[in-house]
Amino acid sequence: MKICIYGAGAIGGYLGVQLAQAGADVSLVARGAHLAAMRAHGLKLLISGEERVVHIPCTDDPAELGEQDYVIICLKAHSITGVIEQMRPLLGPKTRIVTAVNGIPYWYFHRHGNQFEGTALESVDPGGRQWEEIGAARAIGCIVYPATEIEAPGVIRHVYGDKFPLGEPSGERTADVERLAAMFEKAGLRAPVLDRIRDEIWLKLWGNVCFNPISALTHATLDVICTDPATRALSKAMMLEAQSIAESFGIGFRVDVERRIDGARKVGAHKTSMLQDLERGRPMEIDPLVTVVQEMGRLTGIPTPAIDSVLALVAQRARVAGLY
């Protein structure tokens, strides 16, 4: 099984080591000092008190790798359109694209089955290029739950978690998704195949749509956002707006909003990814986590006043910092 991990950062590197040690034919696309370190010394994963090192093909030129069975995209969602041309040599007639990204993926309305079938979302797929050029029909959904970090170039530290739910947009249990799930399981990862992958996408996004931008505006950690009365109330308002939009698409939430907020509170003094990006001077994932929910609200005619206000503030904050 040939698997290319496109974006072998913290999550991609973790997947690369685990899959390679399980016997998959894995290659990595990366860049900069991280790529140089992997080429020189291999890719090292620090996990459960162990050091696991693999020496596998890694490059910043995907044309060196050839056609793949699966391409697992582990980039920030806003970066994908910019690498479509470089990705083309990886794509054969049967290559599947696995979107291990935060937020709403480009293929969301492929095989969706309502009046929005075939709709490309401009906020995550400008001009519909991913839909047309990568191909919505190639997509397999994937939700990322583990936390990992790049400790040093070429070195990934696993913090917690091992769950990567997978699912076809159509909800079918195809040979492709079953085969990939089996390889993930062999690699020591939990990869349940879901027949309603969009429910799981929204469950994770439900927190990201509010906690991420609020943290970037306040510099507060999750425990503070979820216990301070004002930021908790604002989070709840944003989540209820998002829930109304999701439910209009037939999404079911297996927990209520208070339980979802309390779950985030229990994570403790954690900085969201958007706050970490702000502090490190990296582009912020505003569009796939927040703007896309606003866009979907416009599609359905559901008002989003709380989301609109927070989005306007965090977008301006990012522009001032040159990160949006």
Side-chain angles (χ1 to χ4, degrees):
M1 182 185 294
K2 293 189 70 176
I3 300 176
C4 176
I5 296 174
Y6 206 111
I11 287 295
Y14 168 51
L15 280 172
V17 172
Q18 297 295 91
L19 291 168
Q21 291 201 326
D25 181 359
V26 179
S27 57
L28 310 173
V29 176
R31 62 185 181 182
H34 189 53
L35 172 60
M38 291 191 292
R39 282 173 164 165
H41 308 294
L43 175 58
K44 180 186 294 186
L45 174 65
L46 307 177
I47 182 170
S48 303
E50 301 178 14
E51 291 187 0
R52 302 176 185 175
V53 181
V54 296
H55 296 268
I56 54 180
C58 51
T59 183
D60 56 3
D61 181 6
E64 297 175 358
L65 303 175
E67 295 180 0
Q68 305 289 312
D69 295 312
Y70 300 90
V71 176
I72 303 177
I73 299 178
C74 293
L75 300 170
K76 295 289 181 71
H78 56 256
S79 302
I80 298 173
T81 298
V83 300
I84 290 174
E85 294 298 327
Q86 297 95 304
M87 198 179 294
R88 291 184 192 278
L90 304 172
L91 306 180
K94 297 182 179 180
T95 304
R96 300 302 305 270
I97 296 289
V98 184
T99 51
V101 298
N102 281 328
I104 297 292
Y106 75 93
W107 53 262
Y108 187 86
F109 287 116
H110 173 65
R111 302 291 299 276
H112 188 270
N114 71 358
Q115 69 267 37
F116 301 110
E117 176 69 37
T119 299
L121 292 160
E122 186 68 19
S123 53
V124 294
D125 185 15
R129 288 192 60 201
Q130 294 176 50
W131 185 291
E132 294 296 332
E133 298 177 47
I134 297 175
R138 295 184 186 274
I140 292 174
C142 177
I143 296 93
V144 176
Y145 282 114
T148 58
E149 58 190 28
I150 298 179
E151 181 159 291
V155 181
I156 307 296
R157 180 174 294 279
H158 176 262
V159 180
Y160 65 80
D162 60 2
K163 190 176 180 182
F164 293 86
L166 301 170
E168 294 276 6
S170 65
E172 299 169 274
R173 296 182 71 92
T174 63
D176 285 346
V177 74
E178 293 279 11
R179 185 178 173 216
L180 182 63
M183 178 54 74
F184 271 50
E185 296 285 349
K186 186 178 179 183
L189 308 169
R190 291 185 295 151
V193 177
L194 306 181
D195 58 5
R196 293 179 58 88
I197 190 68
R198 293 176 184 83
D199 287 4
E200 200 74 13
I201 288 170
W202 275 98
L203 185 63
K204 185 175 182 185
L205 178 62
W206 207 18
N208 284 338
V209 71
C210 57
F211 302 139
N212 271 274
I214 290 172
S215 71
L217 291 168
T218 63
H219 290 252
T221 51
L222 279 178
D223 54 338
V224 175
I225 292 170
C226 296
T227 53
D228 176 84
T231 51
R232 184 181 178 106
L234 179 57
S235 298
K236 181 177 179 179
M238 295 175 72
M239 292 172 77
L240 290 174
E241 290 173 3
Q243 182 176 359
S244 294
I245 294 165
E247 289 178 345
S248 76
F249 297 133
I251 296 299
F253 290 85
R254 64 175 184 266
V255 298
D256 65 24
V257 66
E258 296 290 349
R259 183 176 171 189
R260 180 69 177 85
I261 295 173
D262 285 337
R265 175 183 55 80
K266 292 174 184 176
V267 173
H270 173 70
K271 292 182 179 182
T272 70
S273 60
M274 197 177 286
L275 176 55
Q276 292 180 49
D277 286 342
L278 176 64
E279 291 181 342
R280 295 170 186 174
R282 301 186 304 209
M284 296 158 64
E285 286 186 291
I286 295 171
D287 289 339
L289 300 184
V290 189
T291 312
V292 70
V293 180
Q294 181 191 67
E295 181 179 357
M296 295 170 102
R298 301 291 186 270
L299 283 176
T300 58
I302 295 172
T304 54
I307 290 173
D308 294 348
S309 297
V310 171
L311 174 58
L313 292 171
V314 78
Q316 182 60 24
R317 177 71 181 86
R319 289 189 192 101
V320 169
L323 304 177
Y324 184 51

